[in-house]
Amino acid sequence: MEDFAKRLTPEEALKLASAAEHKTRGKLKIFIGYAPGVGKSYSMLNEGNRRFQRGEEIVLGYVEIHGRQDTEKQIGNLEVIPRKKIHYSGKILEEMDAEAIIKRHPTTVLVDEIAHTNVPGSKNKKRYEDVKEILAAGINVITTLNVQHLESLNDIIKQITGVTVRETIPDGFVEKADEVVAVDITVDALLNRLKRGDVYKKEKIPDALRNFFREGNLNALREITLRQTAQEVDEELEEYMKSHGIRESWQTTERIMVCISPSANAKRLIRRGALIARRYRCEWFVVAVESNVVYAEKWSPKDKEDLENNFTLAKQLGAATVILSGRSISDELAKFAKEKNISQIVIGHSEKSPFQSIFTGSTTSRLLSETKNIAIHVIPTGGELANDDHWMKMLFGSDLTVSDFWKTLLMILAVSGLNYFLVPFLGYQAVGFIFLLAVLVLSMFVSFIYIVLFAILSSLIWNFFFIQPIGTFVIHNPADLIMSIFYVITAIVTGYLTSKIRRDEKLLALREARTDTMHRITSIIASAKDRHTCSLEIEREISVILPGKCKVIVKSEKVGFENILRQTITSDEKELSVAMWSYEKGGVAGWSTETLSFAGAMYLPLKGPSENIGVLLYRPEHYRKLSPDENIFLIASANQLAIYLEREILRERSIEAEELKKSETLYRTILDSVSHEVKTPVTSILGIASALEDENIINDKNKKVDLLQELSDSADRLNRIVSNLLDMSRLASDVLALRKDWQDIGEVINLCVQHLGSKLSKHNVQIEIEEGLPLTMLDFALFESALSNIIINAATYTPEGTKLNISASREMEQLIIRVADAGPGVNEEELPLIFDKFYRTKDAPAGGTGLGLAIAKAVIEAHGGKIEAFNRNEGGLEIKITLPIGQQPDMTEIKND
Amino acid sequence: MTKGAKILVIDDEPSIRKLLNISLSTEGYTVELAKSGKDGLLELNNFRPDVIILDLGLPDISGIEVLNKIRERTETPIIILTVRDSEQDKVLLLNSGADDYLTKPFSPAELSARIKVALRHSLNLKEEPVYINGPLKIDFSTRLVEISGKPLKLTNTEFDLLKILVQHAGKIVTQKQLLKEVWGPESINQSHYLRIYFSQLRSKLEKFSLSKLIITEPGVGYRLLLL
């Protein structure tokens, strides 16, 4: 039973991520050797036997004996799955039977020579594809491989051995292997084996010695193999460190930057970068620059896909990946290199035609000149880097600017035509200016290439049609020649400048938008009413600049942060663990970062000055690495927000503390007051009870009657205090369930007075109820309590014999109840205070808790009404209760008989 | 004759039992005490009381259960003892077969009055066609009401309501009972009908200074005052 409450550590999350893929996948173990005969098959079989003896269910899927006896002996007792017979060209050939293996479904199967190409007619072309199926079925596989079968090493091996190996395996397959073991023997030992005839038959030996088995060959191959194996080990270490979010302090100050383009050939550069980075055990970056210059070629979707693949490889190898965009590729690279203190650059050697190089030089050479202190590795690649200078290509067939082409053409024709008509009036020199004007206009609409085109064409037209001698490209007048040349120059420069302005404006607009939003975020925070609306507004602002989903998640005092995450974002354990990591460690994590980048979103910690507040989630609409600008924007926003949120949270906390203090004070006051109040009647009761034991008193009838009356009164008083306390607690509890029912206010008042009975005996009580008052929804018990308290108050604080007026009337949509006495009234300053809890006026007689009016107020207000106190003109205090008259109940059943 | 009547008190509080024992026996009743629901049910068979006084806060069985069990065997009047703020329990039990109630703290005088009423009704005094209660005289056959000889004009509904109170004279009649009998079962929640009608009734009675005849027990029901 899964414990859902347990949180994943990032290692576990990573394991989960890959486990999800490898859930039922079998384990792959590869024995790699550098040449035939080193003992790969032997080792494989040996291991198979050992495991078999240990009790593992292991079978032999395929082994190529090559007639080597030692190898054959190693088969031992292993069960052999019979080979599949395939008919091809009249022959019967044998291949490994993958279906039979899968059907047999052992724990592990031994498969020799994984790079083997299957006989045509087999289901899969290559044996490694069969092995893939076997692994997918959940069966472990142990296999063998020669180092020259690795795709990425193919060319090196070709160079060394002169042999092109055709049966290759994609690197990815090997990289996914769970275990790679290098089967290694010294070159001398191998040569001895060969000479002994243990590798090939006697006849083949001389040939082998001459070709493949040359000592130099073998040594080189051995080194490559060992290095390859070492690389795998290193990669695992990198993975481990990365998944722990550990960034070891770099041991050297080296920093590598690999510059790539979307082309697939970039992989070579990446690998080289990985190699170098490994050697120095340092940080390294893989950078691609998208040129946004006016005439440059933009990346197509295929390009972007290739780039993603390259980046995936780069990340796997431990690089940080970055997309930059800028006007000049070399400029951006140089800038990045300087910012990040790059010490070594790996760049591809572009294969440009000399023609192109004459005009513009290459990115590489420009980079070289811009980065004087950095070592640059120029790696020959098949493909080229995107260059700043693609304009040659642009002229001959580009998909983007076809409409621009037509616009230009149109413009040329139109203006030429115009000039033709104007020449008689203006003269042939003016033509240049008119064309120039046209350039200005055109540059607003088309890309720079076409400006150049226009400039040249218009110059030629001018020359041919308008400059003497007309009809030729010859220019007689030297002044005219100069004019013509300068026209072209001016046109091109003008066009360039105008396009630059256009482009710069766009860039500026973008920057402004970002600054604007930063500004807006600051002002949202400054004017925020509460942190909830503030968070929402900021989420919205951020999504304007960075399309995608943005969410602010703040911790709470009551619920664990993880549960909040679970409720608000997702229950995906991987995502949760990344978010938690960001929150706890206070670092940026997730997609587009260097930590736990497999996550689906980016998590920025909201870290206030003194505590962690929460996490800001950003999930982009399209997954593209954020530019440094955008990163800074997000981080700055998060920081601002965090500061604000912390302030608010602290403020809320201090308010709560205040409230707590207040209620504690109240609690203490109640205890004090109650204990005093209760003690009084209790003392009285006890005293009387004891007195009644006295013979003298029992026999004295008057005394007895007096005491018994006193006993009754005290008990009554005690009862009243208890009632009040019960009312108070009902009112104080959050769940005040008023039990309302339709009541006739007149009835209520009469009953109330009736119940008070003897307590009002010393006063002259007058009740005036207006005729035809509507019914009101009241909680009878509480309301009676409130009214009683008010009336008793009036009786207690006014002299005996005075009048007590209780009236009920209607004023528009309100019901007014007044309790008026003819006593001394209350001081003006104390008037508003009498409804406070435990308030007793300065000259109050003993025996009240001061709760009565407070209860009354709470009850009336709970009914949606109002209570006020006035000093009457004719002397005395009036308490006025205002109650809203609600909608009357359905009266249709009332029979009017 | 109510003297000598047998009263069963079921209450878990020793002090209450003592108090009731003393006060009721002083009045001449024969009192039996039970301290739990179970005991009470046992005594029911042995003692065969005329009136049962049942406390609602019993520890072993809930009040409603005891009530039901008692009602399974007998129609003996039951007066329940309740505390303030237990309106719902009160009403529930009254509607389930209890005859009357008393809210603690109560005075023995109140209890005595209730007991007398209960006994009266249980002795099944024949329904007279004419009812007299102080100055009030009601002739059920002619549906005429007189107070001190002077006629009192009542609407049909008002008369019906008064009649029910009279039939249970002195005993509490719950709102539900009244609404059901006068307006029918579908109207048992329309408490505002009662407010309006009793208000009218009272004002009519007030002209004879007899509005006190109708006692409102808020949240529970109404009761006729025995003069």
Side-chain angles (χ1 to χ4, degrees), chain A residues 727 741-742 747 780 893 895, chain B residues 84 191 193 195 197 216 218:
Chain A
D727 284 340
D741 199 1
W742 291 109
E747 192 173 16
F780 184 89
E893 277 291 305
K895 302 174 193 173
Chain B
R84 204 186 87 140
S191 55
Y193 293 173
R195 300 276 173 272
Y197 274 95
T216 308

Side-chain angles (χ1 to χ4, degrees), chain B residues 163-222:
Chain B
K163 178 169 164 196
I164 299 172
L165 288 188
V166 162
Q167 280 167 339
H168 294 80
K171 233 170 51 154
I172 183 85
V173 187
T174 61
Q175 294 180 8
K176 185 171 157 191
Q177 242 173 306
L178 286 163
L179 288 164
K180 188 162 136 193
E181 289 198 33
V182 178
W183 281 281
E186 64 280 2
S187 301
I188 52 177
N189 286 321
Q190 316 288 20
S191 55
H192 53 282
Y193 293 173
L194 297 176
R195 300 276 173 272
I196 295 173
Y197 274 95
F198 277 111
S199 162
Q200 281 168 218
L201 194 51
R202 264 213 200 86
S203 13
K204 289 188 180 172
L205 287 169
E206 187 47 35
K207 300 213 176 65
F208 298 87
S209 305
L210 272 184
S211 59
K212 61 187 176 194
L213 211 56
I214 299 176
I215 303 172
T216 308
E217 313 242 343
V220 187
Y222 296 83

Side-chain angles (χ1 to χ4, degrees), chain B residues 122-191:
Chain B
S122 79
L123 291 178
N124 268 328
L125 298 176
K126 223 176 85 181
E127 294 262 347
E128 303 289 315
V130 175
Y131 173 78
I132 298 179
N133 179 22
L136 177 69
K137 177 168 155 207
I138 304 178
D139 187 336
F140 290 111
S141 42
T142 59
R143 291 174 75 88
L144 277 174
V145 182
E146 281 177 12
I147 299 186
S148 307
K150 300 200 188 71
L152 177 68
K153 267 215 80 185
L154 294 179
T155 67
N156 281 327
T157 319
E158 287 165 358
F159 184 85
D160 287 333
L161 286 171
L162 187 58
K163 178 169 164 196
I164 299 172
L165 288 188
V166 162
Q167 280 167 339
H168 294 80
K171 233 170 51 154
I172 183 85
V173 187
T174 61
Q175 294 180 8
K176 185 171 157 191
Q177 242 173 306
L178 286 163
L179 288 164
K180 188 162 136 193
E181 289 198 33
V182 178
W183 281 281
E186 64 280 2
S187 301
I188 52 177
N189 286 321
Q190 316 288 20
S191 55

Side-chain angles (χ1 to χ4, degrees), chain B residues 16-184:
Chain B
I16 304 278
R17 287 201 302 272
K18 198 145 137 194
L19 172 67
L20 288 178
N21 195 4
I22 294 175
S23 63
L24 291 176
S25 4
T26 314
E27 301 226 10
Y29 298 111
T30 311
V31 183
E32 189 57 55
L33 304 171
K35 59 178 188 284
S36 70
K38 212 164 50 137
D39 283 355
L41 291 169
L42 278 172
E43 290 296 341
L44 193 62
N45 287 328
N46 300 336
F47 184 54
R48 288 237 225 161
D50 299 308
V51 176
I52 301 171
I53 307 212
L54 173 63
D55 176 51
L56 279 195
L58 291 177
D60 56 342
I61 324 177
S62 76
I64 182 77
E65 256 189 83
V66 179
L67 183 76
N68 288 334
K69 285 209 158 54
I70 297 176
R71 277 287 169 259
E72 275 169 27
R73 305 176 208 179
T74 171
E75 283 303 308
T76 312
I78 304 174
I79 301 174
I80 50 181
L81 297 180
T82 73
V83 292
R84 204 186 87 140
D85 286 345
S86 64
E87 248 85 45
Q88 282 153 318
D89 290 341
K90 250 192 300 210
V91 174
L92 175 65
L93 265 80
L94 285 171
N95 283 328
S96 309
D99 292 75
D100 217 327
Y101 74 101
L102 264 180
T103 312
K104 297 195 255 198
F106 55 84
S107 67
E110 278 181 83
L111 179 59
S112 196
R114 297 273 199 270
I115 292 176
K116 288 206 182 77
V117 168
L119 284 172
R120 248 191 44 125
H121 285 285
S122 79
L123 291 178
N124 268 328
L125 298 176
K126 223 176 85 181
E127 294 262 347
E128 303 289 315
V130 175
Y131 173 78
I132 298 179
N133 179 22
L136 177 69
K137 177 168 155 207
I138 304 178
D139 187 336
F140 290 111
S141 42
T142 59
R143 291 174 75 88
L144 277 174
V145 182
E146 281 177 12
I147 299 186
S148 307
K150 300 200 188 71
L152 177 68
K153 267 215 80 185
L154 294 179
T155 67
N156 281 327
T157 319
E158 287 165 358
F159 184 85
D160 287 333
L161 286 171
L162 187 58
K163 178 169 164 196
I164 299 172
L165 288 188
V166 162
Q167 280 167 339
H168 294 80
K171 233 170 51 154
I172 183 85
V173 187
T174 61
Q175 294 180 8
K176 185 171 157 191
Q177 242 173 306
L178 286 163
L179 288 164
K180 188 162 136 193
E181 289 198 33
V182 178
W183 281 281

Side-chain angles (χ1 to χ4, degrees), chain A residues 6-272:
Chain A
K6 175 168 174 256
R7 179 176 69 74
L8 292 177
T9 62
E11 302 98 79
E12 290 169 337
L14 195 62
K15 238 189 270 168
L16 240 186
S18 44
E21 299 156 30
H22 297 192
K23 215 182 355 182
T24 48
R25 194 175 183 266
K27 289 203 177 16
L28 176 64
K29 177 169 181 169
I30 306 181
F31 285 99
I32 282 194
Y34 68 90
V38 294
K40 303 182 295 296
S41 310
Y42 184 97
S43 306
M44 176 184 81
L45 290 169
N46 193 296
E47 169 136 352
N49 259 310
R50 266 187 297 118
R51 288 204 199 181
F52 176 70
Q53 269 149 35
R54 278 203 297 258
E56 194 175 333
E57 189 194 4
I58 186 165
V59 307
L60 188 55
Y62 185 92
V63 71
E64 196 59 66
I65 308 289
H66 293 297
R68 295 171 197 153
Q69 286 182 334
D70 294 325
T71 311
E72 198 172 48
K73 264 189 243 161
Q74 282 305 308
I75 296 179
N77 297 324
L78 289 173
E79 177 191 342
V80 179
I81 305 280
R83 298 183 188 180
K84 196 165 49 176
K85 295 201 183 354
I86 298 182
H87 298 263
Y88 177 65
S89 304
K91 289 182 272 190
I92 297 179
L93 302 168
E94 289 180 338
E95 281 296 351
M96 175 180 79
D97 195 348
E99 286 98 52
I101 295 173
I102 294 177
K103 209 161 94 170
R104 168 73 179 75
H105 207 99
T107 314
T108 311
V109 63
L110 304 178
V111 175
D112 206 1
E113 293 192 350
I114 195 172
H116 174 78
T117 308
N118 287 333
V119 166
S122 306
K123 177 172 170 218
N124 289 315
K125 206 165 116 186
K126 302 279 225 167
R127 185 173 293 157
Y128 79 84
E129 288 169 320
D130 289 330
V131 170
K132 251 201 208 164
E133 283 177 14
I134 296 175
L135 287 170
I139 305 171
N140 299 329
V141 174
I142 306 178
T143 187
T144 64
L145 182 68
N146 267 349
V147 72
Q148 60 256 47
H149 292 141
L150 287 175
E151 209 171 82
S152 64
L153 295 176
N154 214 328
D155 15 346
I156 297 184
I157 299 214
K158 174 177 168 183
Q159 285 172 23
I160 295 174
T161 63
V163 175
T164 311
V165 178
R166 288 193 209 291
E167 294 186 327
T168 58
I169 294 202
D171 283 27
F173 191 80
V174 174
E175 265 156 10
K176 285 209 196 110
D178 297 90
E179 256 192 282
V180 170
V181 180
V183 180
D184 183 58
I185 60 176
T186 63
V187 171
D188 284 348
L190 178 61
L191 285 173
N192 281 337
R193 244 200 228 170
L194 178 67
K195 287 176 193 149
R196 270 206 310 266
D198 289 347
V199 180
Y200 290 137
K201 292 211 177 70
K202 283 249 165 27
E203 309 89 67
K204 291 222 173 125
I205 298 177
D207 249 305
L209 279 170
R210 229 190 330 221
N211 294 319
F212 190 83
F213 280 75
R214 274 173 288 144
E215 202 172 308
N217 248 18
L218 295 176
N219 270 314
L221 287 171
R222 186 175 177 223
E223 186 184 322
I224 290 173
T225 310
L226 288 174
R227 222 197 272 157
Q228 185 71 23
T229 318
Q231 192 167 307
E232 298 294 321
V233 174
D234 252 344
E235 278 173 13
E236 295 211 359
L237 184 59
E238 283 293 333
E239 275 297 320
Y240 179 81
M241 279 179 27
K242 212 171 184 202
S243 66
H244 278 251
I246 301 169
R247 297 210 89 231
E248 197 184 80
S249 56
W250 302 110
Q251 287 169 344
T252 68
T253 49
E254 294 292 331
R255 241 180 229 113
I256 317 292
M257 171 170 94
V258 177
C259 312
I260 64 167
S261 66
S263 95
N265 290 304
K267 285 208 168 68
R268 196 172 301 186
L269 298 172
I270 295 174
R271 281 184 195 281
R272 178 58 67 102

Side-chain angles (χ1 to χ4, degrees), chain A residues 829-846:
Chain A
E829 316 92 64
E830 292 189 282
L831 259 185
L833 304 172
I834 58 175
F835 294 109
D836 286 348
K837 292 194 185 90
F838 301 112
Y839 187 85
R840 318 229 14 244
T841 53
K842 300 188 181 73
D843 36 346

Side-chain angles (χ1 to χ4, degrees), chain A residues 512-575:
Chain A
E512 255 185 54
R514 240 175 254 149
T515 315
D516 216 20
T517 305
M518 254 338 288
H519 196 61
R520 249 206 300 278
I521 286 186
T522 317
S523 56
I524 288 176
I525 289 180
S527 63
K529 283 178 259 179
D530 64 88
R531 54 186 175 98
H532 185 65
T533 29
C534 181
S535 299
L536 284 175
E537 283 178 38
I538 290 197
E539 284 170 10
R540 217 169 344 132
E541 279 303 321
I542 292 182
S543 332
V544 166
I545 290 291
L546 293 174
K549 173 173 150 175
C550 180
K551 189 116 182 78
V552 175
I553 305 129
V554 179
K555 70 172 177 187
S556 126
E557 310 284 318
K558 304 172 207 142
V559 185
F561 190 65
E562 193 180 339
N563 284 323
I564 299 180
L565 284 175
R566 233 181 261 273
Q567 287 162 16
T568 41
I569 314 179
T570 175
S571 50
D572 183 320
E573 290 299 329
K574 276 192 275 170
E575 290 296 313

